[in-house]
Amino acid sequence: MTNLQELPSRGHLLTEQINPASQHLDQLTPLELVDLFNQEDAQTLRAIAQAREALAQTITATAARLRQGGRLFYVGAGTSGRLGVLDAAECPPTFCTPPHLVQGILAGGDAALVRSSEGLEDCYEDGIAVVRDRQITAQDVVIGITAGGTTPYVHGALDGAQAVGALTVFMACVPSDQVQRAADIDIRLLVGPELLAGSTRLKAGTATKMALNIISTGVMVQLGKVYGNRMVDVAVTNRKLLDRALRILTDLTGIDRAAAADLLERSGYQVKRALLMHWTGLDALAAQALLDQHNGQLHAAKSAALDS
């Protein structure tokens, strides 16, 4: 147990400060409380806008690493870690990525997803160890997420990642003059004090989720997993996604649903491959070979086929 007299105060951190707008939170009516939350949540949009350049840099750098065989790791504890796990888990069904490509690492492991294990965030050595356990290399990207900026587990993981040459990104909701951190890219999501003092699952969590949405979607766009605004690499694994795949095909080709179903089946339930088959007359194997030649970029593969 830490000696209480030696425990440093975190009260100066932006995420721990008292929000003057909610000093009477416990006396508000439910409607007043909802209105106040709505008012404060506008800060999340401003925070994302202020971090736009760092977010764009992260997308560019991460896509470059993944094209060369690298992987993306989100590392965090508590809410920050759970949000990373959530974003990683959504990539395979949305973009048909292999599970290893985007991984969420949470202090305390899977058990901490549903039962709080906040004490584990204090172990710097565990953060270093997870880099070794996941065999992270110089090809990979590690995004350390910590709302208050001080989580030892995250700092350990970033230090371990830097030691092997991985690209490192630091994402926090406090300004750099409060918590400094060496990283290749520094993302600060400054949403201000929480309505419930110190509860970073609120605005900080919302802004973090927004930032991760932008990063993962942006990276997948760069990797050619989107055509226009359609998820053409969607994994067709249930009725909802089958319907989405059929609608993508009918919308982009003009064929009817029955023809789209036949095309999708002949493509091996690969929407991107099906589209290229329709536009070029190629069979499934030839269409896939052409996509592979153009790194999965449908626009490029289509142009190459039609121009030849």
Side-chain angles (χ1 to χ4, degrees), residues 62-73:
T62 301
R65 296 285 178 117
L66 268 56
R67 286 192 195 98
Q68 300 302 315
R71 300 164 294 169
L72 169 60
F73 294 89

Side-chain angles (χ1 to χ4, degrees), residues 110-129:
D110 292 345
L113 280 169
V114 294
R115 185 170 183 174
S116 176
S117 302
E118 310 295 8
L120 295 174
E121 71 179 53
D122 289 337
C123 189
Y124 174 88
E125 291 75 15
D126 284 355
I128 292 180

Side-chain angles (χ1 to χ4, degrees), residues 3 25 33 42 46 57 79 85 93 101 116-117 136 138 148 172 194 201 220 223 230 271 277-278 285 304:
N3 185 325
L25 187 66
L33 184 145
R46 285 191 281 270
Q57 291 169 10
T79 296
V85 170
L101 188 67
S116 176
S117 302
I136 291 172
E194 300 288 2
R201 69 186 181 88
M220 295 305 161
L223 295 180
R230 312 302 178 94
V271 175
M277 290 168 61
H278 174 80
L285 287 176

Side-chain angles (χ1 to χ4, degrees), residues 285-297:
L285 287 176
Q288 188 58 55
L290 186 58
L291 284 168
D292 291 343
Q293 290 173 23
H294 294 276
N295 298 314
Q297 298 285 343

Side-chain angles (χ1 to χ4, degrees), residues 8 23 32 68 86 90 130 145 161 194 227 233 244 272:
Q23 292 197 67
E32 289 171 335
Q68 300 302 315
L86 174 62
E90 293 289 354
V130 81
I145 313 167
E194 300 288 2
Y227 184 86
D233 263 337
R244 183 174 299 158
K272 186 193 292 183

Side-chain angles (χ1 to χ4, degrees), residues 51-63 167 169 184-186:
R52 55 191 287 275
E53 292 187 3
L55 290 169
Q57 291 169 10
T58 302
I59 291 169
T60 300
T62 301
L167 181 82
V169 181
D184 294 299
I185 301 173
D186 194 2

Side-chain angles (χ1 to χ4, degrees), residues 202-216:
L202 302 178
K203 286 188 298 185
T206 300
T208 297
K209 180 64 168 70
M210 292 168 67
L212 298 183
N213 285 346
I214 292 169
I215 290 169
S216 58

